[in-house]
Amino acid sequence: MNAAVPSPPEHPAAARLRLLEAEAEHAPAATAFDLAVQQAAAALGGIGALIHLVDSEPDELRLTASCGLGPNSLETWTKLPSNGLAAPARAVRSGKRVWRDDGMGTPAAGTATVPLPGPQGPVGALTVITLGRIEPDRERWLFLEAVAVWAAAHTINAPAAGSADRRRQPASTAELRMNELTVALAEAVTSQDVVRAVQERVLPPFGADGMLVEVIERDRLHILGSTGYSQAFLHAIEGVPLTTHTAATTVLHARSPRFAESADEFLHHFPQLEELVHASGKHAWAVLPLIASGRPIGCCVVSFAHERHFDHEQRALLTALSGLVAQALERARLYDAEHARAQNLQRGLLPRSLPALPAITADARYLPAGQGDEVGGDWYDVITLSGDRVALVAGDVMGHGIAEAATMGRVRTAVRTLADLDLPPDELLAHLSDLVRGFGDDWYATCLYAEYDPVTRLLTFCTAGHPLPLIFQPDGTVRRPEVDADPPLGAAEPPFRTHELHLPDEALLVLCTDGLVESASRDIDEGLQLLENAVSHALAERNYFRARKEPRPLALGQICDDVMAELLPDRERTGDDAVLLLAHTHSTPADDVALFMLPDDPRASGQARRHVREQLAQWDLAELEMATELLVSELVGNVTRHAPGPCRLRLLRSRTLICEVYDGSPTTPRIRRAAQTDEGGRGLQLVAALSRRWGTRFLAEGKCIWAEQEIPVL
């Protein structure tokens, strides 16, 4: 029943690093360097790329690998003085990325250079020659630095700079694991993904059983992830100030790693940490600074339960690892921050809770797309209308991202504003379509707007390109409105068609967005059938319509969870936002409704007051008699003076006492600001003062003026 959701396309950076791993799996360093320059040039759209290594003679950088440049252009780059102004030399000296808006003798406009990190500092530089004078953006810089770290890991097997030795040599197991780690970190999205990648790809090949990843926040070190330590130990080191003398703070200040092959060696440098060393249960450590974009961002500690020796290759690999982790972690923390802001925006734009209303009991679920840091434009709402009516809304602004989410917020606000004016569904969608059209030609949205009247049990709705509602009835039958949806907002031309359905008492309405029922592997009709089956199954399993012991809101929430789990079992792989809104309808008891016809003459006010007194006495609401008589007298008096008949009075007893006066005029009453000497013009001011809220709604013939009063709590 459940169709698989296809995986999202692989990020280009991850794909390029995966290609590096595959092609250089058993290749010597020279071949790896060739692949690195090719991928770096392609990623930045450059005309060529270069790798320079620090020569055994300390004052020179020598060209080790290149692509895209002819012999004449390469001549400028073959040997570079380490104290010169060339970008590779500056990158090696500073340990930071360097951008120059010149091509150093090549037909280019810019050079982007990053250092190749080594155990004791940069061992070389990776440079891309660009045609444009625009500096690479942050994502391209981070990718270039990740390639540089990957290339630096291969300098262990590299021939001396300038050597012609290009023979293949087998790569070490640790180096191969480094390649795997490179790809895993390129695919990491969140900070926790980075921590898991280090845990899975670093600890096993080095035989380590402990790991700490700490990040700098407000001049303190905070634990981002750990393995192999007790909670008591983690609590003791959490939030250590950078001014404290510890192994982690020392490597961050020095920006170079430290290795301790025994507890005695560690305590020789940090005798004040003896208690912590014993509490850790470790006997060897590699303490690695995490440096990204030339600044320390944290520390990675790889630890061992027994003493061990770190040879030159292991130290170099662990140092290269720290650079790799730092770049991935900086990128992931940017994602975390952006994702948190996006989620906060999304939560702020959606209802925090649904109102408890006499007409319905409702619950909803919103599921964002499982991949990427983008939020979407799906939304839902439940809006209180006059006369105990309620509006149910589901909509979807096309696309994903902050702009779409913000547009969704504007559309949702507009729906609420128009609903507060008590516009009928077709007029509301017409205004909404004009609004969306004003956003521009590229903006479209779908929307289903439905009004439910608990007195008549009438559901009135319009849909603009949106999936139609499903109606589940207490007898087990399911109704699907057989109507055609109008085009989406922004594309449709009014008028929108209005549809009406008479509902049984205690029906269940199901609204959704297309992300719940439609995917690459199923069309919307198939998805709606799956939704119908899932809801029917959940209702039957929980004996929903027959059970009365469990509160309705709790039961609806359980059904929402059941349906979401059935239709979207793999939430992390959903490619679109999804909304599910369930609304259990209730009808107004006949004893709580009183309707009176009034004559079209001055006697109407007197008769209306008499009806009020009699009905409120029957409802045991005598304490509201005086205020209600004044309200009704003013409203009916306005009708007899200014509007044609027939005139009707309706009283509703609900959470509030609702008084409604109907007439045949489409004119909207408005409050006048009467002067002290005016003899009239204060009627609606009195209505506003006596009521909790009041307003007007327009009908096919005429209008209704209504006012609500609080019912005293006994």
Side-chain angles (χ1 to χ4, degrees), residues 37 43 64 98-99 110 117 162 186 210 227 244 250 253 265 309 369 383 445 482 507 520 593 608 639 651 689:
V37 292
T64 303
V98 174
W99 166 255
T227 297
T244 305
T250 298
H253 290 308
E265 182 181 352
H309 171 66
I383 305 171
E482 296 182 359
V593 183
V639 170
L651 302 177

Side-chain angles (χ1 to χ4, degrees), residues 222-536:
H222 296 277
I223 300 171
L224 185 64
S226 67
T227 297
Y229 291 97
S230 67
Q231 287 300 318
F233 175 81
L234 296 176
H235 179 74
I237 65 171
E238 167 60 22
V240 171
L242 292 179
T243 53
T244 305
H245 182 57
T246 67
T249 58
T250 298
V251 301
L252 286 173
H253 290 308
R255 299 195 178 191
S256 62
R258 281 209 175 204
F259 299 89
E261 299 181 345
S262 67
D264 290 341
E265 182 181 352
F266 187 94
L267 292 175
H268 175 73
H269 298 287
F270 307 100
Q272 74 279 9
L273 301 180
E274 181 176 1
E275 185 176 344
L276 280 177
V277 168
H278 292 314
S280 71
K282 308 302 179 186
H283 293 81
W285 297 264
V287 187
L288 312 168
L290 301 179
I291 310 296
S293 303
R295 61 183 180 84
I297 64 171
C299 179
C300 179
V301 181
V302 179
S303 56
F304 305 81
H306 304 285
E307 295 183 2
R308 67 159 297 154
H309 171 66
F310 298 98
D311 60 26
H312 174 72
E313 179 179 346
Q314 291 168 344
R315 293 182 182 227
L317 279 172
L318 285 169
T319 302
L321 174 151
S322 66
L324 193 63
V325 172
Q327 304 303 329
L329 190 56
E330 183 180 41
R331 184 178 65 250
R333 294 184 73 192
L334 288 173
Y335 167 85
D336 289 341
E338 286 296 321
H339 189 64
R341 283 193 288 268
Q343 291 298 316
N344 289 335
L345 171 64
Q346 188 83 62
R347 283 192 293 269
L349 294 176
L350 291 173
R352 293 190 176 183
S353 61
L354 296 180
L357 302 174
I360 65 163
T361 302
D363 206 339
R365 294 292 183 270
Y366 167 78
L367 180 66
Q371 299 289 338
D373 62 345
E374 295 182 333
V375 293
D378 289 22
W379 91 94
Y380 61 91
D381 215 341
V382 175
I383 305 171
T384 304
L385 302 177
S386 63
D388 257 4
R389 297 172 305 122
V390 62
L392 304 171
V393 191
D396 182 5
V397 174
M398 304 302 184
H400 294 84
I402 296 294
E404 285 74 9
T407 300
M408 174 270 283
R410 297 169 66 185
V411 175
R412 177 175 174 248
T413 300
V415 171
R416 281 193 154 262
T417 302
L418 296 170
D420 194 51
L421 297 175
D422 253 326
L423 296 180
D426 57 336
E427 291 187 30
L428 186 146
L429 287 191
H431 286 292
L432 206 61
S433 186
D434 290 341
L435 173 71
V436 174
R437 189 179 295 111
F439 295 158
D441 295 337
D442 296 333
W443 290 99
Y444 297 98
T446 67
C447 184
L448 170 66
Y449 183 86
E451 291 181 358
Y452 173 67
D453 188 336
V455 176
T456 62
R457 300 207 304 268
L458 194 66
L459 182 72
T460 307
F461 67 92
C462 291
T463 176
H466 202 83
L468 296 170
L470 302 179
I471 299 102
F472 292 80
Q473 304 182 120
D475 62 3
T477 59
V478 182
R479 293 177 62 183
R480 281 204 212 178
E482 296 182 359
V483 298
D484 295 327
D486 287 306
L489 303 173
E493 291 292 337
F496 288 88
R497 288 168 291 182
T498 302
H499 312 285
E500 293 183 347
L501 293 174
H502 191 268
L503 302 183
D505 192 17
E506 307 292 325
L508 181 68
L509 299 177
V510 179
L511 282 66
C512 68
T513 58
D514 59 358
L516 183 64
V517 294
E518 191 176 23
S519 70
S521 60
R522 68 185 180 214
D523 61 29
I524 193 166
D525 291 331
E526 180 185 358
L528 286 172
Q529 185 60 56
L530 291 175
L531 174 61
E532 179 182 328
N533 296 342
V535 175
S536 296

